[in-house]
């Protein structure tokens, strides 16, 4: 396709829980398609079935099951698991299509006991290496704030610092015991399988210079200076003593860089021209 736009991605910031990137040379429809795919089409593992055996905690069974289902699980090896409905190795669940966890916590002290996602024990951990990789996401200690919380918990005489996500709290004599089955799924089936909690994007306006205004305002030396900052987008025509768009920019509509916009605004500002007078927003 002649003059086709080739989308590109530039990573801006990546952490264990967030990622910022810039999508270049693409329409808004492409950005929205990526957003929808990341939310609803990326497969992950999530707890789908909960068999409650003992629950004397303050929360009723359905409430606990709902909280268990929303615990994010590491899903780097999700492609190595079959969909339960399509698994040809079992009729219910097995290490090739699911993960079985056991949660069994009781409180014997006078203090409150937090039942955490770290208390989930992976029954299939030794069955397959891929099974061992599916575990609750633990964000404790990731930031300075978490580190201060952990330190404060130790100094206050707490039983243990926060580890993972709180499922419920127990007092002396209370107990919770259940079996959980994690399965493969996508966000369009249920939000618990969504690979991203939030995906948003904003469009940067397409900016073009009013070259007639710039050429009437700047001197020859200033035009040559702006040409250097334009990264090949502008070309100085000696015959007409004017700046022109480079042919490739006109055909492919490359975005004008922030440095070029700032430089043009600084140069025209010396002549009392406001930056908005030299730019057209699309």
């Amino acid at each position: 396709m002649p003059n086709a736009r080739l989308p590109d991605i530039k990573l801006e910031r990546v952490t264990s829980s967030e990622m910022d990137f810039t999508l270049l040379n693409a329409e808004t429809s492409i950005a929205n398609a990526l957003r929808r795919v990341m939310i609803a089409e990326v497969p992950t593992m999530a707890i789908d079935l909960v068999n409650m055996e003992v629950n004397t905690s303050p929360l009723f069974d359905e409430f606990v099951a709902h909280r268990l289902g929303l615990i994010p699980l590491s899903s780097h090896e999700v492609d190595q698991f079959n969909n339960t409905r399509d698994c040809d190795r079992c009729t219910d669940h097995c290490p090739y299509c699911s993960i079985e966890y056991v949660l069994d916590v009781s409180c014997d002290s006078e203090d409150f006991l937090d039942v955490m996602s770290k208390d989930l024990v992976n029954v299939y951990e030794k069955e397959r290496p891929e099974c061992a990789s599916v575990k609750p996401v633990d964000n404790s200690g990731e930031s300075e704030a978490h580190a201060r919380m952990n330190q404060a918990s130790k100094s206050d005489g707490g039983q243990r610092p926060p580890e993972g996500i709180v499922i419920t709290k127990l007092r002396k004599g209370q107990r919770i015991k259940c079996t959980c089955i994690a399965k493969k799924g996508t966000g369009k089936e249920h939000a618990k399988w969504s690979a991203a909690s939030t995906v948003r994007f904003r469009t940067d306006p397409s900016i073009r210079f009013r070259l007639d205004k710039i050429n009437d305002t700047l001197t020859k030396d200033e035009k040559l200076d702006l040409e250097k900052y334009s990264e090949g987008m502008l070309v100085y025509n000696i015959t007409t003593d004017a700046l022109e768009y480079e042919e490739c920019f006109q055909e492919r509509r490359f975005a004008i860089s922030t440095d070029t916009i700032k430089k043009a605004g600084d140069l025209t500002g010396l002549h009392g021209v406001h930056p908005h007078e030299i730019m057209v927003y699309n």
Side-chain angles (χ1 to χ4, degrees):
M1 180 183 294
N3 303 328
R5 302 178 69 178
L6 304 178
D8 192 14
I9 290 179
K10 177 183 177 183
L11 289 178
E12 304 290 352
R13 183 175 66 92
V14 179
T15 69
S16 61
S17 59
E18 296 180 357
M19 179 174 69
D20 293 341
F21 64 89
T22 301
L23 180 64
L24 306 171
N25 302 325
E27 301 290 347
T28 304
S29 59
I30 300 298
N32 190 52
L34 284 175
R35 183 188 68 84
R36 293 174 63 90
V37 166
M38 287 185 280
I39 291 176
E41 300 288 344
V42 179
T44 63
M45 302 292 289
I47 293 176
D48 188 42
L49 299 176
V50 177
N51 180 24
M52 194 69 67
E53 299 180 34
V54 179
N55 180 21
T56 55
S57 72
L59 305 181
F60 51 85
D61 295 354
E62 290 81 2
F63 204 124
V64 175
H66 181 261
R67 291 182 64 82
L68 287 168
L70 294 180
I71 293 175
L73 303 177
S74 298
S75 303
H76 301 93
E77 301 292 337
V78 67
D79 291 338
Q80 304 302 319
F81 290 87
N82 301 322
N83 287 310
T84 304
R85 65 179 73 91
D86 301 326
C87 186
D88 56 359
R89 295 174 176 267
C90 66
T91 57
D92 186 16
H93 66 274
C94 68
Y96 291 90
C97 66
S98 61
I99 302 292
E100 182 175 340
Y101 295 98
V102 172
L103 178 66
D104 188 359
V105 181
S106 58
C107 180
D108 300 323
S109 66
E110 298 294 337
D111 298 325
F112 283 100
L113 177 65
D114 292 337
V115 181
M116 312 296 295
S117 58
K118 294 282 285 185
D119 294 319
L120 289 166
V121 179
N122 189 338
V123 178
Y124 292 160
E125 185 173 8
K126 297 182 180 180
E127 297 288 337
R128 299 173 63 212
E130 293 83 358
C131 293
S133 68
V134 182
K135 52 187 177 182
V137 175
D138 179 18
N139 293 327
S140 63
E142 181 182 83
S143 64
E144 295 181 2
H146 281 103
R148 290 195 297 270
M149 290 172 58
N150 292 347
Q151 189 62 35
S153 178
K154 294 178 181 179
S155 62
D156 292 342
Q159 294 185 0
R160 56 183 176 177
E163 294 180 336
I165 298 170
V166 178
I167 299 172
T168 185
K169 294 178 180 288
L170 302 178
R171 295 196 69 173
K172 185 176 182 179
Q174 293 181 332
R175 181 188 180 192
I176 184 170
K177 181 181 180 181
C178 62
T179 302
C180 310
I181 306 298
K183 298 181 179 180
K184 180 180 179 179
T186 58
K188 64 182 179 182
E189 299 179 58
H190 193 281
K192 64 187 176 185
W193 278 299
S194 180
S197 59
T198 303
V199 181
R200 64 181 180 86
F201 71 91
R202 62 179 177 84
T203 57
D204 290 334
S206 175
I207 299 175
R208 295 180 70 88
F209 285 138
R210 293 183 56 189
L211 291 184
D212 54 342
K213 184 69 174 180
I214 292 178
N215 287 322
D216 292 341
T217 303
L218 301 183
T219 65
K220 177 181 178 180
D221 291 338
E222 290 172 337
K223 293 174 185 176
L224 291 173
D225 193 15
L226 181 58
E227 179 189 22
K228 295 178 182 178
Y229 272 83
S230 68
E231 301 177 351
M233 183 199 71
L234 296 175
V235 177
Y236 178 71
N237 189 323
I238 301 177
T239 305
T240 60
D241 185 31
L243 289 170
E244 300 174 352
Y245 284 123
E246 198 270 344
E247 182 180 355
C248 187
F249 174 82
Q250 293 180 334
E251 293 181 355
R252 300 286 296 276
R253 293 183 59 83
F254 291 148
I256 302 176
S257 67
T258 304
D259 290 339
T260 305
I261 296 173
K262 185 177 184 302
K263 185 64 176 180
D266 292 342
L267 292 175
T268 54
L270 298 175
H271 300 273
V273 177
H274 194 276
H276 289 299
E277 298 181 51
I278 63 169
M279 291 183 287
V280 177
Y281 298 90
N282 298 329

